Amino acid sequence: MSRPPRPAAPFPARPARAPAKTPQGELFQLDSPLTGEVRGERSLMAFPFFALSKNAWMKPLAYQHAAVSIEVRPSAKGVATIYDKEIVLYIASLMAAKIDAGERVEQDFVFTAHDLFSVTGSNHSARSYARLSEALERLQGTQIKTNIEAGGEGEEGFFSWLSEARLHYARTRSDERRLKAVKVRLCDWLYRAILRDGHVLDYAATYFQLGPIERRIYEVARSTCEAGPDGIARLEIDLATFRLQIGYQNPLANFRAALRQIAAADAIPDYRIELIEGEAGEDAPAPAAGEGAGAGRRGRRASPARVIVTRRPVALPDGPAGSGQIEADPTESDA
């Protein structure tokens, strides 16, 4: 059944956005450029839906903890990665901006690759355009199954992030192809979650400069840290559960080593990471017979390693210069 024509969006009503121009001969109107903040849906921040890899990840992903289950199956091009997720965040941000502006929001979005690259900090090289095509293919081909409800509805079976993804080209006089726009259709699950639930949070401006693990740590912190009695947002979690929620696929020892480096670098925007480890090590073996005091007795297992994530205090903008006044930044209302 054909869809009703979409009315032209009142772009001139947005002071920060120039009127969108529909090129002659085109049948669509651009939803870009994005002029607001980059925002994402809370469930996509909290749980591991994407592979932490730049290269093709061909193995299925699974998450099962408490009442939440997620299963992700790869396409012939692999599982959608944390870098492919940039496109999903961009689309979610366009959608949130439309909702804020009181515009009609459908599942189809048309934007320029140039604006996407500008927002995510990618260069505008030919390789970036090739990676865009590959990312769209993975987002459309990756299959996701979850019991997380969206918009008051649950789904049985699998869905893809994009049910449609097309690159629209025009021919130059030299018969070269020039990308005009990207057209995508957002999946029902994410569309309902943003439109009906409204659990959308903004991202730090430096998010796209982070590595894969750092991106996930930031997302988990941003979506799950809760303010305590002291007003400071904090998350305390055991290392094994934190690894599961980050979606790290290598052994726990590797994750521990990576987390030590990340905590030492202290580069997660808005949050501070602390790794608390037992003195003897989480999996310290018992001493062998004849190895000194306590030989022959079963070794005492150290407490599991813990991770503490704390929201950084924010300086009061109107405080006196040099006063050092700070306040805890509340975790924040949904957009």
Side-chain angles (χ1 to χ4, degrees), residues 174-205:
S174 58
D175 203 36
E176 295 179 350
R177 294 198 308 177
R178 177 172 296 175
L179 181 60
K180 302 291 291 184
V182 182
K183 182 178 180 180
V184 300
R185 183 173 179 81
L186 193 61
C187 66
D188 295 344
W189 183 85
L190 187 52
Y191 176 76
R192 290 197 313 269
I194 297 174
L195 184 64
R196 300 182 189 174
D197 297 335
H199 295 163
V200 180
L201 299 173
D202 63 287
Y203 275 68

Side-chain angles (χ1 to χ4, degrees), residues 11-23:
F11 290 118
R14 299 189 192 178
R17 173 181 285 188
K21 296 180 180 180
T22 303

